[in-house]
């Protein structure tokens, strides 16, 4: 009998399952070809539903890989979604942003190792998703950036907590404050990525790692994942991010961001 996640169809995700002698390896691919795998509300709901299904399996997969279709990992928040936030109230956005973060960061609650196969560009919330995974393989030629402040908003999707957690306050803070772009080689050099390989080899390298992890004792790995992370601390950071972003979304600066994107020019912020 097929597992639930193998039979269910998703609009913005593709699922592959590989049986090995040690157990199953599940691959989740973000798939929004119209906008470089940008995150929509529906994609988030689908992602959270899939993670929930995986957690409820009688026999858990030995490892999970998260990657992207369309020669890219994820371009961050979908423009139409961002524009909708500029039209909502502070209280609506605070509530909705906290829920939206939870959709994708549910991956952190999976009790098995999760590998981000970052096969191309990962921007903003898309990059934050990779930080929420346990291990990362980056494409050497990929472009990566926490571009939040350049869009007139506070960093979200847990990045204000995850970036310093992984990289320390100095480097993590630098990437958040500057919004600078870096490549896969830099990600490996600073310890963010376990490995950095050509784009065409990212998924195969991630699968190689998943196969290695599948040979470890599954119960030991599950207990280790419980002890590696503090969801309570991340949850506290997410609440603060949701409030800060909600405040930014109703600002003139964010309205200028949306206008500048539509007009294909640099935004001119006034601090209002």
């Amino acid at each position: 009998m097929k597992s639930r996640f193998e039979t269910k169809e998703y609009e913005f995700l593709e699922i592959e399952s590989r049986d090995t002698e040690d157990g199953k390896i599940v691959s989740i691919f973000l798939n929004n070809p119209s906008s470089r795998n940008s995150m929509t509300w529906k994609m988030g709901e689908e992602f959270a539903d899939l993670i929930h299904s995986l957690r409820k399996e009688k026999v858990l997969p030995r490892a999970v890989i998260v990657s992207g279709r369309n020669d890219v990992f994820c371009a961050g928040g979908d423009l139409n979604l961002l524009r909708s936030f500029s039209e909502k109230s502070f209280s609506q956005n605070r509530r909705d942003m906290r829920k939206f973060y939870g959709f994708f960061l549910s991956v952190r609650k999976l009790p098995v190792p999760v590998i981000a196969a970052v096969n191309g560009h990962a921007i903003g919330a898309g990059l934050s998703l990779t930080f929420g995974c346990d291990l990362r393989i980056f494409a050497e030629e990929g472009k990566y950036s926490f571009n939040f402040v350049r869009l007139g908003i506070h960093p979200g999707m847990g990045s204000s907590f995850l970036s310093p957690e992984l990289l320390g306050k100095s480097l993590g803070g630098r990437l958040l404050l500057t919004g600078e772009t870096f490549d896969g080689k830099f990600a490996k050099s600073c310890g963010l990525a376990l490995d950095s390989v050509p784009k065409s080899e990212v998924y195969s390298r991630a699968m190689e790692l998943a196969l290695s992890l599948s040979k470890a004792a599954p119960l030991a790995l599950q207990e280790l994942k419980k002890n590696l992370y503090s969801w309570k601390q991340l949850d506290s950071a997410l609440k603060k991010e949701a409030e800060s972003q909600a405040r930014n979304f109703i600002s003139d600066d964010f309205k200028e961001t949306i206008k500048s994107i539509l007009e294909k020019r640099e935004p001119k912020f006034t601090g209002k």
Side-chain angles (χ1 to χ4, degrees), residues 98-114:
R98 180 62 189 86
K99 189 172 184 179
F100 188 67
Y101 304 154
F103 288 154
F104 291 96
L105 291 178
S106 61
V107 70
R108 200 168 170 98
K109 293 184 177 180
L110 271 177
V112 301
V114 181

Side-chain angles (χ1 to χ4, degrees), residues 158-181:
S159 55
S160 66
F161 173 83
L162 296 170
S163 187
E165 179 190 57
L166 287 172
L167 299 170
K169 286 189 177 181
S170 179
L171 180 54
R174 168 186 144 188
L175 297 180
L176 292 169
L177 288 166
T178 65
E180 67 185 83
T181 299

Side-chain angles (χ1 to χ4, degrees), residues 134-166:
D134 302 305
L135 299 164
R136 287 154 292 279
I137 308 295
F138 275 58
E140 291 177 344
E141 62 271 48
K143 300 300 181 184
Y144 312 106
S145 172
F146 286 123
N147 66 337
F148 296 101
V149 294
R150 295 181 179 272
L151 297 178
I153 53 176
H154 185 283
M157 196 62 75
S159 55
S160 66
F161 173 83
L162 296 170
S163 187
E165 179 190 57
L166 287 172

Side-chain angles (χ1 to χ4, degrees), residues 8-51:
K8 191 163 186 175
E9 293 185 359
Y10 294 99
E11 182 179 355
F12 292 108
L13 303 175
E14 286 189 11
I15 318 302
E16 291 183 2
S17 180
R18 175 173 175 174
D19 290 316
T20 74
E21 61 181 16
D22 298 300
K24 192 185 300 292
I25 295 172
V26 174
S27 297
I28 305 170
F29 296 92
L30 307 182
N31 186 32
N32 186 3
S34 65
S35 58
R36 299 177 296 167
N37 298 342
S38 62
M39 294 169 159
T40 67
W41 191 272
K42 180 65 180 296
M43 179 192 283
E45 290 178 326
E46 291 181 351
F47 194 88
D49 178 78
L50 173 59
I51 298 301

